[in-house]
Amino acid sequence: MSIEDRAKATAKNIEGKMQAAAGEITGDPKDKAEGEAKQAEARATHAKEDVKDSLKRAID
């Protein structure tokens, strides 16, 4: 399940980057903020998965 979560987080990160870039180009601060929020959520998911992987390796 970890790989699936990472893939979803990567997709959300890409989506966020595109939305933030579009907001920057169009001058829409709402789009830019939402894009940055998606990127932050993706980073948090990756961090959570890193912790889970570390714990799993420590237990094994």
Side-chain angles (χ1 to χ4, degrees):
M1 185 154 97
S2 178
I3 293 173
E4 183 180 324
D5 290 341
R6 286 185 186 275
K8 288 179 183 178
T10 299
K12 185 171 279 290
N13 187 36
I14 292 168
E15 180 184 347
K17 285 184 181 190
M18 290 174 45
Q19 188 173 6
E24 184 72 32
I25 291 169
T26 61
D28 186 352
K30 181 181 174 194
D31 267 346
K32 185 177 177 188
E34 287 177 1
E36 290 171 353
K38 287 179 183 179
Q39 290 178 64
E41 183 180 341
R43 282 191 300 272
T45 300
H46 278 291
K48 177 184 79 170
E49 292 302 318
D50 289 343
V51 169
K52 285 171 46 178
D53 288 346
S54 294
L55 289 173
K56 191 173 186 180
R57 272 184 258 133
I59 292 172
D60 291 341

